[in-house]
Amino acid sequence: MDHQSHPKEPLEPSVTLSDENATGQQAAACHAEGSDGKHVRKSHHSQEMKSNLISRLNRVEGQIRGIKGLIEKDTYCDDVLTQIAAAQSALNSVGKLLLEGHMKSCIVERIQAGEHEVVDELLVTVRKLMK
């Protein structure tokens, strides 16, 4: 195996939660009625938020492709692991943005509607994110 050394910088620029417009304004309620009259849970992100999330996910996707390329080129393991950490961090950033928006909109809305079981749902989700 050829252990080439590469700079330990991420393949893509790192993403942060400090973007002023990252959370955007929410457009509608968390619940909508489906065609069958039943309540359907849907997200209601602004177009700006959707664009932000898609852009971040596209960068993560590029990082993953880059990591595959590094493995194909037998790049030094530590360098590949550094890129994996950068991709995981970027994906976690997307999760944090979604969680923040979810808590500020859907969770608040459902608690105000008396649906206190949403807190348990949120705790399960947070536990999954923290694995």
Side-chain angles (χ1 to χ4, degrees):
M1 181 184 283
D2 180 21
H3 291 281
Q4 304 169 23
S5 183
H6 293 280
K8 293 187 178 189
E9 296 175 19
L11 295 172
E12 297 286 333
S14 61
V15 290
T16 63
L17 294 177
S18 63
D19 296 339
E20 285 288 320
N21 297 324
T23 55
Q25 292 295 317
Q26 302 302 318
C30 293
H31 288 81
E33 260 193 40
S35 58
D36 58 1
K38 293 183 180 180
H39 285 288
V40 178
R41 295 192 310 181
K42 295 191 73 128
S43 65
H44 48 84
H45 305 294
S46 68
Q47 193 57 46
E48 182 180 13
M49 176 66 145
K50 283 182 189 180
S51 295
N52 185 329
L53 292 170
I54 300 238
S55 175
R56 288 168 182 262
L57 288 169
N58 285 339
R59 286 193 295 261
V60 172
E61 187 177 25
Q63 286 177 299
I64 300 302
R65 281 193 305 273
I67 291 167
K68 285 170 55 178
L70 293 176
I71 290 171
E72 289 170 349
K73 294 176 191 173
D74 293 322
T75 303
Y76 184 59
C77 300
D78 190 59
D79 295 335
V80 176
L81 291 167
T82 298
Q83 296 305 318
I84 290 171
Q88 287 173 328
S89 177
L91 193 54
N92 286 341
S93 178
V94 172
K96 288 174 189 175
L97 279 175
L98 280 169
L99 181 60
E100 180 182 343
H102 183 55
M103 290 175 72
K104 288 181 176 180
S105 59
C106 299
I107 300 300
V108 169
E109 179 184 303
R110 290 182 63 193
I111 288 172
Q112 289 172 342
E115 299 178 44
H116 298 283
E117 66 277 2
V118 73
V119 174
D120 292 327
E121 176 187 290
L122 176 62
L123 290 171
V124 169
T125 301
V126 169
R127 283 187 199 110
K128 289 176 185 176
L129 285 171
M130 294 178 74
K131 281 187 179 182

